[in-house]
Amino acid sequence: AAISACAGAGQWQEALQLLGRMQTPDVISYNAAISACAKAGQSEEALQLLDDMSDAGVAPDVISLSAAISACAGAGQWQEALQLLGRMQTPDVISYNAAISACAKAGQSEEALQLLDDMSDAGVAPDVISLSAAISACA
């Protein structure tokens, strides 16, 4: 809860300190710290936490990966965002939206439109955010 509070307040460094003080952080704690970094535009820190999770034997879930994809979107790291999306067994609309946004911010309109097709193929219905991000990529 404290790490989530830091994320909401934009205090990503404090979130990392709290995570570091935990003896055995769980997936929820890592997710909160990754989200804190993503919200603060600290994509490298978010990606490092994802690696740290795996090293600690904590399996990233859809929330972990979606938060990391969002961090990549904020930093214009569209290729890394697509790699993370590819690691997901069942991406959800939030994951796709973050990846489409990453492509849009990097001017990768073809990739963004391909993700819309991929969503439909996977049975994930695009929402207003998906379509807005795709339109933005084409603008």
Side-chain angles (χ1 to χ4, degrees), residues 25-88:
D26 60 9
V27 68
I28 296 168
S29 302
Y30 275 108
N31 289 351
I34 293 169
S35 293
C37 292
K39 288 177 183 176
Q42 300 296 320
S43 64
E44 295 303 320
E45 292 291 341
L47 295 173
Q48 183 60 54
L49 284 171
L50 204 58
D51 288 341
D52 293 348
M53 278 180 86
S54 297
D55 293 345
V58 179
D61 63 10
V62 66
I63 297 169
S64 316
L65 292 166
S66 292
I69 292 169
S70 293
C72 291
Q77 296 172 310
W78 65 277
Q79 292 169 317
E80 183 72 29
L82 294 181
Q83 288 176 359
L84 292 170
L85 186 70
R87 287 176 51 183
M88 300 177 83

Coordinates of all heavy atoms in Angstrom, one line a residue, residues 25-88:
P25 N 9.8 -9.2 -1.6 CA 8.7 -8.5 -2.3 C 7.9 -9.5 -3.2 O 8.5 -10.4 -3.8 CB 9.4 -7.5 -3.2 CG 10.9 -7.5 -2.8 CD 11.1 -8.8 -2.0
D26 N 6.6 -9.3 -3.3 CA 5.7 -10.1 -4.1 C 5.4 -9.3 -5.4 O 5.9 -8.2 -5.6 CB 4.5 -10.5 -3.4 CG 3.6 -9.3 -2.9 OD1 3.9 -8.2 -3.3 OD2 2.7 -9.6 -2.1
V27 N 4.6 -10.0 -6.2 CA 4.3 -9.4 -7.5 C 3.6 -8.1 -7.4 O 3.8 -7.1 -8.2 CB 3.5 -10.4 -8.4 CG1 2.1 -10.7 -7.9 CG2 3.4 -9.9 -9.9
I28 N 2.7 -8.0 -6.4 CA 2.0 -6.7 -6.1 C 2.9 -5.6 -5.8 O 2.8 -4.5 -6.3 CB 0.9 -6.9 -5.0 CG1 -0.1 -8.0 -5.5 CG2 0.2 -5.6 -4.7 CD1 -1.0 -8.5 -4.4
S29 N 3.9 -5.8 -5.0 CA 4.9 -4.8 -4.6 C 5.7 -4.4 -5.8 O 5.9 -3.2 -6.0 CB 5.8 -5.3 -3.5 OG 5.1 -5.7 -2.4
Y30 N 6.2 -5.3 -6.6 CA 6.9 -5.0 -7.8 C 6.0 -4.2 -8.8 O 6.5 -3.2 -9.4 CB 7.4 -6.3 -8.5 CG 8.7 -6.8 -8.0 CD1 8.8 -7.9 -7.2 CD2 9.9 -6.1 -8.2 CE1 10.0 -8.4 -6.7 CE2 11.1 -6.5 -7.8 CZ 11.2 -7.7 -7.0 OH 12.4 -8.1 -6.5
N31 N 4.8 -4.6 -9.0 CA 3.9 -3.9 -9.9 C 3.7 -2.5 -9.5 O 3.7 -1.6 -10.3 CB 2.5 -4.6 -9.9 CG 2.6 -5.9 -10.6 OD1 3.6 -6.3 -11.2 ND2 1.5 -6.7 -10.6
A32 N 3.5 -2.2 -8.2 CA 3.4 -0.9 -7.7 C 4.6 0.0 -8.0 O 4.6 1.1 -8.4 CB 3.1 -0.9 -6.2
A33 N 5.8 -0.6 -7.8 CA 7.1 0.1 -8.0 C 7.3 0.3 -9.5 O 7.7 1.4 -9.9 CB 8.2 -0.7 -7.4
I34 N 6.9 -0.6 -10.3 CA 7.1 -0.4 -11.8 C 6.1 0.7 -12.2 O 6.5 1.5 -13.0 CB 6.8 -1.8 -12.6 CG1 7.9 -2.8 -12.3 CG2 6.7 -1.5 -14.1 CD1 7.6 -4.2 -12.8
S35 N 4.9 0.7 -11.7 CA 3.9 1.7 -12.0 C 4.4 3.1 -11.6 O 4.2 4.1 -12.3 CB 2.6 1.4 -11.4 OG 2.0 0.3 -12.0
A36 N 5.0 3.1 -10.4 CA 5.6 4.4 -10.0 C 6.6 4.9 -10.9 O 6.6 6.1 -11.3 CB 6.2 4.2 -8.6
C37 N 7.5 4.1 -11.4 CA 8.5 4.5 -12.3 C 7.9 4.9 -13.7 O 8.3 5.9 -14.3 CB 9.5 3.4 -12.5 SG 10.6 3.0 -11.1
A38 N 6.9 4.1 -14.1 CA 6.3 4.5 -15.4 C 5.6 5.8 -15.3 O 5.8 6.6 -16.2 CB 5.2 3.4 -15.7
K39 N 4.9 6.1 -14.2 CA 4.2 7.4 -14.1 C 5.2 8.5 -14.0 O 4.8 9.7 -14.4 CB 3.3 7.4 -12.9 CG 2.1 6.5 -13.0 CD 1.3 6.4 -11.8 CE 0.1 5.5 -12.0 NZ -0.7 5.3 -10.8
A40 N 6.4 8.3 -13.5 CA 7.4 9.3 -13.4 C 8.3 9.4 -14.6 O 9.3 10.2 -14.6 CB 8.2 9.1 -12.2
G41 N 8.0 8.6 -15.7 CA 8.8 8.7 -16.9 C 10.2 8.0 -16.7 O 11.1 8.3 -17.5
Q42 N 10.3 7.1 -15.8 CA 11.6 6.4 -15.5 C 11.5 5.0 -16.2 O 11.5 4.0 -15.5 CB 11.8 6.3 -14.0 CG 11.9 7.7 -13.3 CD 13.1 8.5 -13.8 OE1 14.2 8.0 -14.0 NE2 12.9 9.8 -14.0
S43 N 11.6 5.0 -17.5 CA 11.5 3.7 -18.2 C 12.6 2.7 -17.9 O 12.3 1.5 -17.8 CB 11.4 4.0 -19.7 OG 12.5 4.5 -20.2
E44 N 13.8 3.2 -17.8 CA 14.9 2.3 -17.5 C 14.8 1.7 -16.2 O 15.1 0.5 -16.0 CB 16.3 3.1 -17.7 CG 16.6 3.5 -19.1 CD 16.6 2.4 -20.1 OE1 17.1 1.3 -19.8 OE2 16.0 2.7 -21.2
E45 N 14.3 2.4 -15.2 CA 14.1 1.9 -13.9 C 13.0 0.8 -13.9 O 13.1 -0.2 -13.2 CB 13.8 3.0 -12.9 CG 14.9 4.0 -12.6 CD 16.1 3.3 -11.8 OE1 15.9 2.3 -11.1 OE2 17.2 3.9 -11.8
A46 N 11.9 1.1 -14.6 CA 10.8 0.2 -14.7 C 11.3 -1.1 -15.4 O 10.9 -2.2 -14.9 CB 9.7 0.8 -15.5
L47 N 12.1 -1.0 -16.4 CA 12.6 -2.2 -17.1 C 13.5 -3.0 -16.2 O 13.5 -4.2 -16.2 CB 13.2 -1.9 -18.4 CG 12.2 -1.3 -19.5 CD1 13.0 -0.8 -20.7 CD2 11.2 -2.3 -19.8
Q48 N 14.3 -2.3 -15.4 CA 15.2 -2.9 -14.5 C 14.5 -3.7 -13.4 O 14.8 -4.8 -13.1 CB 16.2 -1.9 -13.8 CG 17.2 -2.5 -12.9 CD 18.1 -3.5 -13.6 OE1 18.7 -3.2 -14.6 NE2 18.2 -4.8 -13.1
L49 N 13.4 -3.1 -12.9 CA 12.6 -3.8 -11.9 C 12.0 -5.1 -12.5 O 11.9 -6.1 -11.8 CB 11.4 -2.9 -11.4 CG 11.9 -1.8 -10.5 CD1 10.7 -0.8 -10.2 CD2 12.3 -2.4 -9.2
L50 N 11.6 -5.0 -13.8 CA 11.1 -6.2 -14.4 C 12.1 -7.3 -14.4 O 11.8 -8.5 -14.1 CB 10.6 -5.9 -15.9 CG 9.6 -6.7 -16.5 CD1 8.3 -6.8 -15.7 CD2 9.3 -6.2 -17.9
D51 N 13.3 -7.0 -14.7 CA 14.4 -7.9 -14.7 C 14.7 -8.4 -13.3 O 14.9 -9.6 -13.0 CB 15.7 -7.3 -15.3 CG 15.7 -7.2 -16.8 OD1 14.9 -7.8 -17.4 OD2 16.5 -6.4 -17.3
D52 N 14.6 -7.5 -12.3 CA 14.9 -7.8 -10.9 C 13.8 -8.8 -10.4 O 14.1 -9.7 -9.7 CB 14.8 -6.6 -10.0 CG 16.0 -5.6 -10.3 OD1 17.0 -6.0 -11.0 OD2 15.9 -4.5 -9.8
M53 N 12.6 -8.7 -10.9 CA 11.5 -9.6 -10.5 C 11.9 -11.0 -10.9 O 11.8 -11.9 -10.1 CB 10.2 -9.2 -11.3 CG 9.4 -8.2 -10.7 SD 7.9 -7.9 -11.7 CE 6.8 -9.1 -11.0
S54 N 12.2 -11.1 -12.2 CA 12.6 -12.5 -12.7 C 13.8 -13.0 -11.9 O 13.8 -14.2 -11.6 CB 12.9 -12.4 -14.2 OG 11.8 -12.0 -14.9
D55 N 14.8 -12.2 -11.6 CA 16.0 -12.7 -10.9 C 15.6 -13.1 -9.5 O 16.2 -14.0 -9.0 CB 17.0 -11.6 -10.8 CG 17.6 -11.2 -12.1 OD1 17.5 -12.0 -13.1 OD2 18.3 -10.1 -12.2
A56 N 14.5 -12.5 -8.9 CA 14.1 -12.9 -7.6 C 13.1 -14.0 -7.6 O 12.6 -14.5 -6.5 CB 13.5 -11.7 -6.9
G57 N 12.8 -14.6 -8.8 CA 11.9 -15.7 -8.9 C 10.4 -15.3 -8.8 O 9.6 -16.1 -8.5
V58 N 10.2 -14.0 -9.0 CA 8.8 -13.5 -9.0 C 8.4 -13.4 -10.5 O 9.0 -12.6 -11.2 CB 8.7 -12.2 -8.2 CG1 7.2 -11.7 -8.3 CG2 9.2 -12.3 -6.8
A59 N 7.4 -14.1 -10.9 CA 6.9 -14.1 -12.3 C 6.1 -12.8 -12.6 O 5.1 -12.5 -11.9 CB 6.1 -15.3 -12.6
P60 N 6.5 -12.0 -13.6 CA 5.7 -10.9 -13.9 C 4.4 -11.3 -14.5 O 4.3 -12.3 -15.1 CB 6.6 -10.2 -15.1 CG 7.9 -10.8 -15.0 CD 7.8 -12.2 -14.4
D61 N 3.4 -10.5 -14.1 CA 2.0 -10.8 -14.6 C 1.6 -9.8 -15.7 O 2.4 -8.9 -16.0 CB 1.0 -10.9 -13.5 CG 0.8 -9.7 -12.7 OD1 1.3 -8.6 -13.1 OD2 0.2 -9.7 -11.6
V62 N 0.4 -9.8 -16.1 CA -0.1 -8.9 -17.1 C 0.0 -7.4 -16.6 O 0.3 -6.5 -17.4 CB -1.6 -9.2 -17.5 CG1 -2.6 -9.0 -16.4 CG2 -2.0 -8.4 -18.8
I63 N -0.2 -7.2 -15.3 CA 0.0 -5.8 -14.8 C 1.4 -5.4 -14.8 O 1.7 -4.2 -15.2 CB -0.6 -5.8 -13.3 CG1 -2.1 -6.1 -13.4 CG2 -0.4 -4.4 -12.7 CD1 -2.7 -6.4 -12.0
S64 N 2.3 -6.2 -14.5 CA 3.8 -5.9 -14.5 C 4.2 -5.5 -15.9 O 4.8 -4.4 -16.1 CB 4.6 -7.1 -14.1 OG 4.2 -7.8 -13.0
L65 N 3.8 -6.3 -16.9 CA 4.2 -6.1 -18.2 C 3.5 -4.9 -18.8 O 4.1 -4.1 -19.5 CB 4.0 -7.3 -19.1 CG 4.9 -8.5 -18.7 CD1 4.4 -9.8 -19.3 CD2 6.3 -8.2 -19.1
S66 N 2.2 -4.7 -18.5 CA 1.5 -3.5 -19.0 C 2.1 -2.2 -18.5 O 2.2 -1.2 -19.2 CB 0.0 -3.6 -18.6 OG -0.6 -4.6 -19.3
A67 N 2.5 -2.2 -17.2 CA 3.1 -1.0 -16.6 C 4.5 -0.8 -17.3 O 4.8 0.4 -17.6 CB 3.3 -1.2 -15.1
A68 N 5.2 -1.8 -17.5 CA 6.5 -1.6 -18.2 C 6.3 -1.1 -19.7 O 7.0 -0.3 -20.1 CB 7.3 -2.9 -18.2
I69 N 5.3 -1.6 -20.3 CA 4.9 -1.2 -21.7 C 4.6 0.3 -21.6 O 5.0 1.1 -22.5 CB 3.8 -2.0 -22.3 CG1 4.3 -3.4 -22.6 CG2 3.3 -1.4 -23.6 CD1 3.2 -4.4 -23.0
S70 N 3.8 0.7 -20.6 CA 3.5 2.1 -20.5 C 4.7 3.0 -20.3 O 4.8 4.1 -20.8 CB 2.5 2.3 -19.3 OG 1.2 1.7 -19.6
A71 N 5.6 2.5 -19.5 CA 6.9 3.2 -19.3 C 7.6 3.4 -20.6 O 8.2 4.5 -20.9 CB 7.8 2.5 -18.3
C72 N 7.6 2.3 -21.4 CA 8.3 2.4 -22.7 C 7.6 3.4 -23.6 O 8.2 4.1 -24.4 CB 8.3 1.0 -23.4 SG 9.4 -0.2 -22.6
A73 N 6.2 3.4 -23.6 CA 5.5 4.3 -24.4 C 5.9 5.8 -24.1 O 6.0 6.6 -24.9 CB 4.0 4.1 -24.2
G74 N 6.0 6.1 -22.8 CA 6.3 7.4 -22.3 C 7.7 7.8 -22.8 O 8.0 9.0 -23.0
A75 N 8.6 6.9 -23.0 CA 10.0 7.1 -23.4 C 10.2 7.0 -24.9 O 11.3 7.1 -25.4 CB 10.9 6.3 -22.7
G76 N 9.1 6.7 -25.7 CA 9.2 6.5 -27.1 C 10.0 5.2 -27.5 O 10.5 5.0 -28.6
Q77 N 10.0 4.2 -26.6 CA 10.7 3.0 -26.8 C 9.7 1.9 -27.4 O 9.4 1.0 -26.8 CB 11.4 2.5 -25.5 CG 12.4 3.4 -25.0 CD 12.9 2.9 -23.6 OE1 12.1 2.7 -22.7 NE2 14.2 2.8 -23.4
W78 N 9.3 2.2 -28.6 CA 8.3 1.3 -29.2 C 8.7 -0.1 -29.4 O 7.9 -1.0 -29.3 CB 7.7 2.0 -30.5 CG 8.7 2.0 -31.6 CD1 9.7 3.0 -31.8 CD2 8.9 1.1 -32.7 NE1 10.4 2.7 -32.9 CE2 9.9 1.6 -33.5 CE3 8.2 -0.1 -33.0 CZ2 10.3 0.9 -34.6 CZ3 8.6 -0.8 -34.2 CH2 9.7 -0.3 -35.0
Q79 N 10.0 -0.3 -29.8 CA 10.4 -1.7 -30.1 C 10.5 -2.5 -28.8 O 10.1 -3.6 -28.8 CB 11.8 -1.6 -30.7 CG 11.8 -1.1 -32.1 CD 13.1 -0.8 -32.7 OE1 14.0 -0.3 -32.0 NE2 13.4 -1.2 -34.0
E80 N 10.9 -1.9 -27.7 CA 10.9 -2.6 -26.4 C 9.5 -2.8 -26.0 O 9.2 -3.9 -25.4 CB 11.6 -1.7 -25.4 CG 11.7 -2.3 -24.0 CD 12.7 -3.5 -24.0 OE1 13.7 -3.5 -24.7 OE2 12.5 -4.4 -23.1
A81 N 8.6 -1.9 -26.2 CA 7.2 -2.1 -25.9 C 6.6 -3.3 -26.6 O 5.9 -4.2 -26.0 CB 6.3 -0.9 -26.2
L82 N 6.9 -3.5 -27.9 CA 6.4 -4.6 -28.7 C 7.1 -5.9 -28.2 O 6.4 -6.9 -28.2 CB 6.7 -4.4 -30.2 CG 6.0 -3.2 -30.8 CD1 6.3 -3.2 -32.3 CD2 4.5 -3.4 -30.6
Q83 N 8.3 -5.9 -27.8 CA 8.9 -7.1 -27.2 C 8.2 -7.5 -25.9 O 8.0 -8.7 -25.7 CB 10.4 -6.8 -27.0 CG 11.3 -6.7 -28.2 CD 12.7 -6.4 -27.9 OE1 13.1 -6.2 -26.8 NE2 13.5 -6.3 -29.0
L84 N 7.9 -6.6 -25.1 CA 7.2 -6.9 -23.9 C 5.8 -7.4 -24.1 O 5.4 -8.4 -23.5 CB 7.1 -5.7 -22.9 CG 8.4 -5.2 -22.4 CD1 8.3 -3.8 -21.7 CD2 9.0 -6.2 -21.4
L85 N 5.1 -6.8 -25.1 CA 3.8 -7.3 -25.5 C 3.9 -8.8 -26.0 O 3.1 -9.6 -25.6 CB 3.2 -6.4 -26.6 CG 1.8 -6.7 -26.9 CD1 0.8 -6.4 -25.8 CD2 1.4 -6.0 -28.2
G86 N 5.0 -9.1 -26.7 CA 5.2 -10.4 -27.2 C 5.4 -11.4 -26.1 O 5.2 -12.6 -26.4
R87 N 5.9 -11.0 -25.0 CA 6.1 -11.9 -23.9 C 4.8 -12.3 -23.2 O 4.8 -13.3 -22.4 CB 7.0 -11.3 -22.8 CG 8.5 -11.1 -23.3 CD 9.3 -10.4 -22.3 NE 9.2 -10.9 -20.9 CZ 9.9 -10.3 -19.9 NH1 10.7 -9.3 -20.1 NH2 9.7 -10.8 -18.6
M88 N 3.7 -11.6 -23.4 CA 2.5 -11.9 -22.7 C 1.7 -13.0 -23.4 O 1.6 -13.1 -24.6 CB 1.6 -10.6 -22.7 CG 2.3 -9.4 -22.1 SD 1.3 -7.9 -22.1 CE 0.2 -8.2 -20.8

